[in-house]
Coordinates of all heavy atoms in Angstrom, one line a residue:
V124 N 5.2 21.9 23.3 CA 5.4 20.4 23.6 C 5.1 20.1 25.0 O 5.6 20.9 25.9 CB 6.8 20.0 23.2 CG1 7.1 18.6 23.6 CG2 7.0 20.2 21.7
R125 N 4.5 19.1 25.3 CA 4.3 18.6 26.7 C 5.4 17.6 27.1 O 5.7 16.7 26.3 CB 2.9 18.0 26.9 CG 2.6 17.5 28.3 CD 1.3 16.7 28.4 NE 1.2 16.1 29.7 CZ 0.6 15.0 30.0 NH1 0.0 14.4 29.0 NH2 0.5 14.5 31.2
V126 N 5.9 17.7 28.2 CA 7.0 16.8 28.7 C 6.5 16.0 29.9 O 5.9 16.6 30.9 CB 8.3 17.6 29.1 CG1 9.3 16.6 29.7 CG2 8.9 18.3 27.9
V127 N 6.6 14.7 29.8 CA 6.2 13.8 30.9 C 7.5 13.3 31.5 O 8.3 12.6 30.9 CB 5.4 12.6 30.4 CG1 5.0 11.7 31.6 CG2 4.1 13.2 29.8
L128 N 7.8 13.6 32.8 CA 9.0 13.2 33.5 C 9.0 11.9 34.2 O 7.9 11.6 34.8 CB 9.4 14.3 34.5 CG 10.7 14.2 35.2 CD1 11.9 14.3 34.3 CD2 10.8 15.2 36.4
A129 N 10.0 11.1 34.1 CA 10.2 9.9 34.9 C 11.6 9.8 35.4 O 12.5 10.3 34.7 CB 9.8 8.7 34.0
V130 N 11.8 9.2 36.5 CA 13.1 9.1 37.1 C 13.6 7.6 36.9 O 12.8 6.7 37.2 CB 13.1 9.4 38.6 CG1 14.4 9.2 39.3 CG2 12.6 10.8 38.8
S131 N 14.8 7.5 36.4 CA 15.3 6.2 36.2 C 15.5 5.4 37.4 O 15.8 5.9 38.5 CB 16.6 6.2 35.4 OG 17.6 6.9 36.2
G132 N 15.4 4.0 37.3 CA 15.5 3.2 38.5 C 16.9 2.7 38.7 O 17.9 3.2 38.1
E133 N 17.1 1.7 39.6 CA 18.4 1.2 40.0 C 19.0 0.2 39.0 O 20.2 0.0 39.0 CB 18.3 0.6 41.4 CG 18.0 1.6 42.5 CD 19.1 2.6 42.7 OE1 20.3 2.2 42.6 OE2 18.8 3.8 43.1
T134 N 18.1 -0.4 38.2 CA 18.6 -1.5 37.4 C 18.2 -1.2 35.9 O 17.3 -0.4 35.6 CB 17.9 -2.8 37.8 OG1 16.5 -2.8 37.5 CG2 18.2 -3.1 39.3
L135 N 18.8 -2.0 35.0 CA 18.4 -1.8 33.6 C 16.9 -2.2 33.4 O 16.2 -1.5 32.6 CB 19.3 -2.8 32.8 CG 19.2 -2.7 31.3 CD1 19.5 -1.3 30.8 CD2 20.1 -3.7 30.6
E136 N 16.4 -3.2 34.1 CA 15.0 -3.6 33.9 C 14.1 -2.5 34.4 O 13.0 -2.2 33.8 CB 14.7 -4.9 34.7 CG 13.3 -5.4 34.5 CD 12.9 -5.5 33.0 OE1 13.8 -5.9 32.2 OE2 11.8 -5.2 32.7
D137 N 14.5 -1.8 35.5 CA 13.7 -0.6 36.0 C 13.6 0.4 34.9 O 12.5 1.0 34.7 CB 14.3 0.0 37.2 CG 14.2 -0.9 38.4 OD1 13.3 -1.8 38.4 OD2 15.0 -0.7 39.4
N138 N 14.7 0.7 34.2 CA 14.7 1.7 33.1 C 13.8 1.2 32.0 O 13.1 2.0 31.4 CB 16.1 2.0 32.7 CG 16.8 2.9 33.6 OD1 16.9 4.1 33.4 ND2 17.4 2.3 34.7
R139 N 13.9 0.0 31.6 CA 13.1 -0.5 30.6 C 11.6 -0.4 30.9 O 10.8 0.0 30.0 CB 13.4 -2.0 30.3 CG 14.7 -2.3 29.7 CD 14.9 -3.8 29.4 NE 16.2 -4.0 28.8 CZ 16.6 -5.3 28.5 NH1 15.8 -6.3 28.6 NH2 17.8 -5.4 27.9
E140 N 11.2 -0.6 32.1 CA 9.9 -0.5 32.6 C 9.4 0.9 32.4 O 8.2 1.2 32.0 CB 9.7 -1.0 34.0 CG 8.2 -1.0 34.5 CD 7.3 -1.8 33.6 OE1 7.7 -2.8 33.0 OE2 6.1 -1.5 33.6
Q141 N 10.2 1.9 32.8 CA 9.9 3.3 32.7 C 9.6 3.6 31.2 O 8.6 4.3 30.9 CB 11.0 4.2 33.2 CG 11.2 4.1 34.7 CD 10.2 4.9 35.5 OE1 9.1 5.3 35.0 NE2 10.5 5.3 36.7
V142 N 10.5 3.1 30.3 CA 10.3 3.4 28.9 C 9.0 2.8 28.4 O 8.3 3.4 27.7 CB 11.5 2.9 28.1 CG1 11.2 2.8 26.6 CG2 12.8 3.7 28.4
R143 N 8.8 1.5 28.8 CA 7.5 0.8 28.4 C 6.3 1.6 28.8 O 5.3 1.7 28.0 CB 7.5 -0.6 28.9 CG 8.4 -1.6 28.2 CD 8.1 -3.0 28.5 NE 8.5 -3.3 29.9 CZ 9.6 -3.9 30.2 NH1 10.5 -4.2 29.3 NH2 9.9 -4.2 31.5
R144 N 6.3 2.1 30.0 CA 5.1 2.8 30.5 C 4.9 4.1 29.7 O 3.8 4.4 29.3 CB 5.3 3.2 31.9 CG 5.2 2.0 32.9 CD 5.5 2.4 34.3 NE 5.5 1.3 35.2 CZ 5.9 1.3 36.5 NH1 6.3 2.5 37.0 NH2 5.8 0.3 37.3
L145 N 6.0 4.8 29.4 CA 5.8 6.1 28.6 C 5.4 5.8 27.2 O 4.5 6.5 26.6 CB 7.2 6.8 28.6 CG 7.5 7.5 29.9 CD1 9.0 8.0 29.9 CD2 6.6 8.6 30.3
V146 N 5.9 4.8 26.6 CA 5.5 4.4 25.2 C 4.1 4.0 25.2 O 3.3 4.4 24.3 CB 6.5 3.3 24.6 CG1 5.9 2.8 23.3 CG2 7.9 3.9 24.5
A147 N 3.7 3.1 26.2 CA 2.3 2.7 26.2 C 1.3 3.8 26.5 O 0.2 3.8 26.0 CB 2.2 1.7 27.4
A148 N 1.8 4.9 27.2 CA 1.0 6.0 27.4 C 0.8 6.9 26.2 O 0.0 7.9 26.2 CB 1.5 6.9 28.6
G149 N 1.6 6.6 25.1 CA 1.4 7.3 23.9 C 2.4 8.5 23.6 O 2.1 9.4 22.8
V150 N 3.5 8.5 24.3 CA 4.5 9.6 24.0 C 4.9 9.5 22.6 O 5.0 8.5 22.0 CB 5.7 9.6 25.0 CG1 5.2 9.8 26.4 CG2 6.5 8.4 24.8
D151 N 5.2 10.7 22.0 CA 5.7 10.8 20.6 C 7.2 10.5 20.5 O 7.7 10.3 19.4 CB 5.3 12.1 20.0 CG 3.8 12.3 20.0 OD1 3.2 11.6 19.2 OD2 3.3 13.1 20.8
G152 N 7.9 10.7 21.5 CA 9.4 10.5 21.5 C 9.9 10.4 22.9 O 9.3 10.9 23.9
L153 N 11.2 9.9 23.1 CA 11.8 9.8 24.4 C 13.1 10.5 24.4 O 14.0 10.4 23.5 CB 12.1 8.3 24.6 CG 10.9 7.4 25.0 CD1 11.4 5.9 25.1 CD2 10.4 7.8 26.4
L154 N 13.3 11.4 25.4 CA 14.5 12.0 25.8 C 15.1 11.3 27.0 O 14.5 11.3 28.0 CB 14.3 13.5 26.1 CG 13.5 14.3 25.1 CD1 13.3 15.7 25.6 CD2 14.1 14.3 23.7
L155 N 16.2 10.7 26.8 CA 16.7 9.7 27.7 C 18.1 10.0 28.3 O 19.1 10.2 27.5 CB 16.7 8.3 27.1 CG 17.2 7.1 28.0 CD1 16.3 6.9 29.2 CD2 17.2 5.8 27.1
M156 N 18.2 10.1 29.6 CA 19.5 10.2 30.3 C 19.7 9.0 31.1 O 19.3 9.0 32.3 CB 19.6 11.5 31.1 CG 19.8 12.8 30.4 SD 19.9 14.2 31.5 CE 18.2 14.6 31.8
P157 N 20.3 7.9 30.6 CA 20.5 6.7 31.4 C 21.3 7.0 32.7 O 22.2 7.8 32.7 CB 21.3 5.8 30.5 CG 21.0 6.3 29.1 CD 20.9 7.8 29.3
R158 N 20.9 6.3 33.7 CA 21.5 6.4 35.0 C 23.0 6.0 34.9 O 23.3 5.0 34.2 CB 20.8 5.6 36.1 CG 21.3 5.7 37.5 CD 20.4 4.9 38.4 NE 20.8 5.1 39.8 CZ 21.7 4.3 40.4 NH1 22.3 3.4 39.7 NH2 22.0 4.5 41.6
A159 N 23.9 6.7 35.7 CA 25.3 6.2 35.7 C 25.4 4.8 36.1 O 24.7 4.3 37.1 CB 26.0 7.1 36.7
G160 N 26.2 4.0 35.4 CA 26.3 2.6 35.7 C 25.5 1.8 34.8 O 25.8 0.6 34.7
L161 N 24.5 2.3 34.1 CA 23.7 1.6 33.1 C 24.3 2.1 31.7 O 23.9 3.1 31.3 CB 22.2 1.9 33.3 CG 21.6 1.5 34.6 CD1 20.2 1.9 34.6 CD2 21.8 0.1 34.9
E162 N 25.1 1.3 31.2 CA 25.9 1.7 30.0 C 24.9 2.0 28.8 O 24.2 1.2 28.4 CB 26.9 0.6 29.5 CG 28.0 0.5 30.5 CD 28.8 1.7 30.7 OE1 29.0 2.5 29.7 OE2 29.4 2.0 31.7
P163 N 24.9 3.3 28.3 CA 24.1 3.6 27.1 C 24.3 2.7 25.9 O 23.4 2.4 25.2 CB 24.5 5.0 26.8 CG 25.1 5.6 28.1 CD 25.7 4.4 28.7
V164 N 25.6 2.2 25.7 CA 25.8 1.4 24.6 C 25.1 0.1 24.7 O 24.5 -0.5 23.7 CB 27.3 1.1 24.5 CG1 27.9 0.3 25.6 CG2 27.6 0.3 23.2
D165 N 24.9 -0.5 25.9 CA 24.2 -1.7 26.1 C 22.7 -1.4 25.8 O 22.0 -2.3 25.2 CB 24.3 -2.2 27.6 CG 25.8 -2.7 27.8 OD1 26.5 -3.0 26.8 OD2 26.2 -2.7 29.0

Side-chain angles (χ1 to χ4, degrees):
V124 173
R125 181 187 170 210
V126 175
V127 179
L128 180 68
V130 179
S131 62
E133 295 293 325
T134 68
L135 185 58
E136 184 54 38
D137 290 337
N138 282 264
R139 289 184 181 182
E140 182 59 29
Q141 293 280 21
V142 168
R143 281 194 290 264
R144 289 175 182 173
L145 288 172
V146 172
V150 298
D151 297 288
L153 284 172
L154 309 177
L155 181 60
M156 284 185 274
R158 185 176 181 273
L161 301 178
E162 292 297 329
V164 65
D165 293 336

